[in-house]
Amino acid sequence: MSEHAAHQHEHEATHDGGPGLSGNSEGQGIRDAASLWDERYRSKPQIWSGKPNPQLVREAGGLRPGHALDLGCGEGADAIWLAQHGWTVTAVDVSAVALERAHGHEKAALARESVHAAEGAIASRIHWQQADLAEWQPGETYDLVTSQFLHSQELAWQGPLRTAAAAVKPGGTLLVVGHHPHRLPPWGGAHTHDGMFYTGEQLVQELGLDGPDWQLEVQTSRERPVTGPDGEHATIADVVVRASRLA
């Protein structure tokens, strides 16, 4: 997903791929995660802002392009930005609806670049893949693994983010961004639960980023203003963790 969820929906579907099976909040029983997230995406013509996450731009903008994994790519803004900056991208999400939109946004981005752009210049660098993030394991390692706002009522963050960390090749970069649990907007409480979010300290400990195999480069929280569904204004904070794998 994009970090810029239309802010009124920021905690209804705060970007992630969802689990394989889960119960919904109305107690209607076990549901397939792909169907659940497809429904959420179909509920509106656009869920996220269409812009790349600013923390991704800030933290990855100076990296040498290589092969990137965008875990929970949503409508594709981050993957497209990476491709436009020279990365080959594997972009994974549970929702076929989200991926269809992402592919459409990719085509539109290519068309806007230039009538003289090489045919498929962006498309040749993005592989869209549907997968259940509770179970999916990559078959390779990457120069950059990014996961932006992978928060869900249906899926604990620990497993997918451990997968993300394990997918970084030696010399590569892990970038994880999420909502700080103590700096959430006041209008999103009905769509959250304890343990859905993490601090930088919790993330570093869970992924072992303070160990000998990693160099921790950024561990911080950054404030930003958001606007609620009825025009309310608030300041929230993003947890930002960036680390390089040493071995």
Side-chain angles (χ1 to χ4, degrees):
M1 283 176 216
S2 175
E3 174 247 348
H4 285 162
H7 292 305
Q8 60 266 39
H9 304 289
E10 195 153 7
H11 301 295
E12 178 178 343
T14 333
H15 201 71
D16 109 271
L21 294 171
S22 77
N24 69 6
S25 59
E26 281 114 15
Q28 295 176 339
I30 299 299
R31 304 186 64 186
D32 176 78
S35 298
L36 177 65
W37 280 90
D38 282 348
E39 283 182 22
R40 291 180 180 179
Y41 278 103
R42 287 193 189 102
S43 69
K44 291 191 174 292
Q46 181 170 322
I47 299 294
W48 316 113
S49 73
K51 300 177 181 179
N53 288 306
Q55 308 299 352
L56 172 72
V57 173
R58 176 170 177 172
E59 298 297 335
L63 299 177
R64 173 179 288 185
H67 193 181
L69 170 64
D70 182 4
L71 194 62
C73 65
E75 291 166 324
D78 286 354
I80 292 169
W81 182 88
L82 286 166
Q84 289 172 326
H85 288 78
W87 293 85
T88 299
V89 186
T90 297
V92 183
D93 202 275
V94 73
S95 171
V97 175
L99 292 170
E100 183 178 2
R101 286 185 190 173
H103 188 53
H105 294 159
E106 171 194 342
K107 290 181 179 178
L110 177 60
R112 288 193 300 268
E113 279 191 343
S114 171
V115 293
H116 303 295
E119 181 68 26
I122 297 176
S124 65
R125 293 198 298 270
I126 304 177
H127 171 59
W128 306 104
Q129 182 174 352
Q130 184 181 16
D132 173 353
L133 298 188
E135 300 176 355
W136 182 76
Q137 295 292 325
E140 58 185 302
T141 55
Y142 301 85
D143 301 291
L144 170 65
V145 177
T146 173
S147 178
Q148 305 277 318
F149 302 93
L150 197 147
H151 305 298
S152 174
Q153 293 176 303
E154 297 87 21
L155 176 65
W157 57 268
Q158 289 87 345
L161 294 187
R162 285 194 296 267
T163 297
V168 179
K169 67 171 55 175
T173 298
L174 174 70
L175 174 62
V176 179
V177 180
H179 296 297
H180 196 290
H182 307 312
R183 298 294 304 277
L184 300 171
W187 53 80
H191 302 292
T192 67
H193 61 74
D194 290 341
M196 185 171 167
F197 306 98
Y198 45 76
T199 66
E201 292 78 8
Q202 289 171 327
L203 186 63
V204 167
Q205 182 176 11
E206 178 67 31
L207 303 185
L209 302 180
D210 51 354
D213 291 341
W214 293 92
Q215 179 176 324
L216 185 60
E217 296 168 337
V218 176
Q219 179 189 328
T220 190
S221 61
R222 295 177 182 148
E223 294 185 344
R224 62 182 171 90
V226 293
T227 302
D230 299 315
E232 315 96 313
H233 296 283
T235 299
I236 67 171
D238 297 335
V239 171
V240 182
V241 171
R242 177 166 60 89
S244 296
R245 180 179 285 282
L246 302 176

